[in-house]
Amino acid sequence: MARDIGVNSLGFAKPPSETRVVVAMSGGVDSSVVAAELAVEGYDVIGVTLQLYDHGAALAKKGACCAGRDIHDARRVAETLGFPHYVLDYENTFRDAVIEEFADSYLGGATPVPCIRCNERVKFRDLLETARDLDADCMATGHYIQRRQGEARAELHMAADPARDQSYFLFSTTQEQLDYLRFPLGHLASKAETRALAAKHGLGVADKPDSQDICFVPNGDYAAVIEKLRPGAADPGEIVDMEGRVLGQHRGVIHYTIGQRRGLGIGGLSDPLYVVRLDADNKRVVVGPKEALSTRLVPVREINWLGDAPFDSAAEWPVRVRIRSTKQPSEAIIRPTGPTSAEVELLTPEDGVSPGQACVFYAPEGSRVMGGGWIWRGY
């Protein structure tokens, strides 16, 4: 009679030694701990690191994800634990799929989130296909998010630690990808636990600082990167009020964001004014009172839906939504306008909703991520 071996920690009914897992290794502490834990458990681990840009180029910075130092750190972890490690050159793919769109979106007056596009178009598409080519049973990453097996299918849930939750950046994970992916750190209560595991395994990255969200933007200076990628992008123009009256001059639309108050250079007015719209076509920055920033209805497109029933099978979906990574989800109603588009009604209006941001959907109660989409007009 065959021995019942049960299900291993990655959800497969076979021993870890017969389960091949590709670990996406950025060189940071999170993915290094994932690789170390799985290797110690006896899994057939293969580490893969993507070189996303030339670490010596002007766009890169020390400590940035997938730059030269990080590749070295990932390789050292693999050598320490004795599993194979490969570095793949994805520089052209990353530039075409992420950096170029980032520049174009910014020029168009949007506020892009390139980390989501990187997960969607590089890590969870091309790298995942590489994992399949290597005959891996699954691919594991160091993201702080949870994959749970629901009654109908695998579900995406927020991380146990709200301070580390990365669900906002992973909303575009498709069901097919979710079936293949694993997120071993999502259940941890704090980053301190991750660092303690790194120290336990003797990893040199145990105290390594976290990388910045946007890896290719030195010192957070988006405008400098855009000007380098698109010479002439910082052409000056007019600052106007909501009736079109000229109040001053600006030094380039790319230097402004929706909701900005400081640095407008239009002092002397009785009431404070905020950036309420960026008219990139006419090189205008539109300003208005704070109440003009309040938004209740948000059009969303390119929706990725992770619910059990088809997205447009209901007239509306009561959910909670998050339109910024730093805010907690708030109550809303989604009204589908097509298979991948909708109007989202925020039950509590929010300020500063901007095109290019993500609108991420959560179940009315609990931690389940229901998907999300892209805000394409926030005014």
Side-chain angles (χ1 to χ4, degrees):
M1 185 172 66
R3 181 170 59 92
D4 183 6
I5 62 171
V7 176
N8 63 35
S9 63
L10 292 178
F12 298 98
K14 54 184 176 179
S17 60
E18 298 176 13
T19 305
R20 175 168 291 178
V21 52
V22 164
V23 179
M25 300 183 68
S26 68
V29 63
D30 299 323
S31 57
S32 296
V33 165
V34 168
E37 286 280 285
L38 294 175
V40 169
E41 284 186 57
Y43 285 97
D44 179 10
V45 173
I46 299 176
V48 176
T49 301
L50 302 182
Q51 180 174 318
L52 299 180
Y53 49 81
D54 180 358
H55 65 275
L59 288 181
K61 65 181 180 207
K62 182 179 179 181
C65 168
C66 304
R69 178 67 192 180
D70 297 302
I71 292 172
H72 169 77
D73 289 342
R75 182 179 291 118
R76 187 172 59 175
V77 169
E79 290 173 350
T80 299
L81 291 159
F83 60 81
H85 174 257
Y86 303 102
V87 178
L88 305 181
D89 182 358
Y90 272 59
E91 211 172 316
N92 291 336
T93 299
F94 184 68
R95 173 174 285 274
D96 293 342
V98 180
I99 297 180
E100 297 293 343
E101 184 188 72
F102 171 81
D104 291 338
S105 295
Y106 232 90
L107 283 178
T111 306
V113 191
C115 301
I116 298 175
R117 289 301 195 193
C118 182
N119 290 325
E120 174 188 324
R121 297 177 174 178
V122 182
K123 294 176 182 175
F124 289 178
R125 186 183 68 185
D126 295 349
L127 178 54
L128 191 144
E129 286 305 312
T130 297
R132 293 188 189 278
D133 290 341
L134 290 169
D135 294 324
D137 293 284
C138 64
M139 186 174 88
T141 80
H143 289 105
Y144 286 87
I145 195 166
Q146 299 185 78
R147 177 193 183 275
R148 298 179 184 173
Q149 192 60 47
E151 293 183 8
R153 61 184 71 191
E155 299 174 354
L156 201 61
H157 287 256
M158 289 187 282
D161 178 7
R164 305 299 303 179
D165 175 54
Q166 292 178 294
S167 59
Y168 180 86
F169 299 100
L170 297 172
F171 81 83
S172 61
T173 305
T174 66
Q175 189 65 50
E176 181 182 8
Q177 292 167 346
L178 183 57
D179 291 339
Y180 192 70
L181 289 163
R182 300 294 187 273
F183 307 106
L185 301 185
H187 69 286
L188 298 183
S190 70
K191 184 62 175 274
E193 288 190 45
T194 306
R195 295 195 182 279
L197 288 170
K200 183 186 78 171
H201 293 300
L203 304 182
V205 296
D207 296 320
K208 185 175 181 177
D210 292 337
S211 61
Q212 298 296 315
D213 281 342
I214 301 181
C215 58
F216 57 90
V217 180
N219 305 316
D221 190 351
Y222 301 168
V225 172
I226 303 302
E227 288 185 79
K228 182 176 180 63
L229 293 168
R230 300 289 187 271
D235 290 345
E238 297 172 336
I239 299 176
V240 301
D241 65 17
M242 298 178 67
E243 284 72 44
R245 291 186 292 266
V246 177
L247 303 179
Q249 300 293 312
H250 66 73
R251 55 195 180 94
V253 171
I254 62 172
H255 292 284
Y256 300 84
T257 57
I258 303 296
Q260 179 177 336
R261 176 186 173 188
R262 299 183 183 277
L264 299 181
I266 50 173
L269 301 174
S270 57
D271 297 315
L273 294 175
Y274 300 77
V275 176
V276 299
R277 185 159 60 90
L278 298 173
D279 182 357
D281 290 340
N282 296 304
K283 299 179 182 178
R284 282 186 158 192
V285 173
V286 183
V287 297
K290 185 175 177 58
E291 53 266 26
L293 288 170
S294 182
T295 302
R296 180 180 291 275
L297 298 178
V298 182
V300 179
R301 61 185 178 184
E302 294 182 58
I303 288 173
N304 177 56
W305 180 248
L306 294 173
D308 297 329
F311 177 65
D312 53 359
S313 64
E316 59 182 41
W317 296 96
V319 294
R320 293 172 297 146
V321 302
R322 177 185 279 168
I323 60 170
R324 292 183 185 83
S325 62
T326 55
K327 295 197 67 174
Q328 290 302 305
S330 58
E331 291 184 334
I333 296 172
I334 305 173
R335 297 187 178 90
T337 57
T340 60
S341 61
E343 180 180 73
V344 176
E345 180 182 356
L346 307 175
L347 300 193
T348 301
E350 296 204 29
D351 292 346
V353 178
S354 174
Q357 292 177 324
C359 181
V360 183
F361 313 149
Y362 300 85
E365 296 180 352
S367 60
R368 186 176 180 184
V369 183
M370 305 303 291
W374 296 96
I375 300 168
W376 63 276
R377 189 180 68 243
Y379 44 83

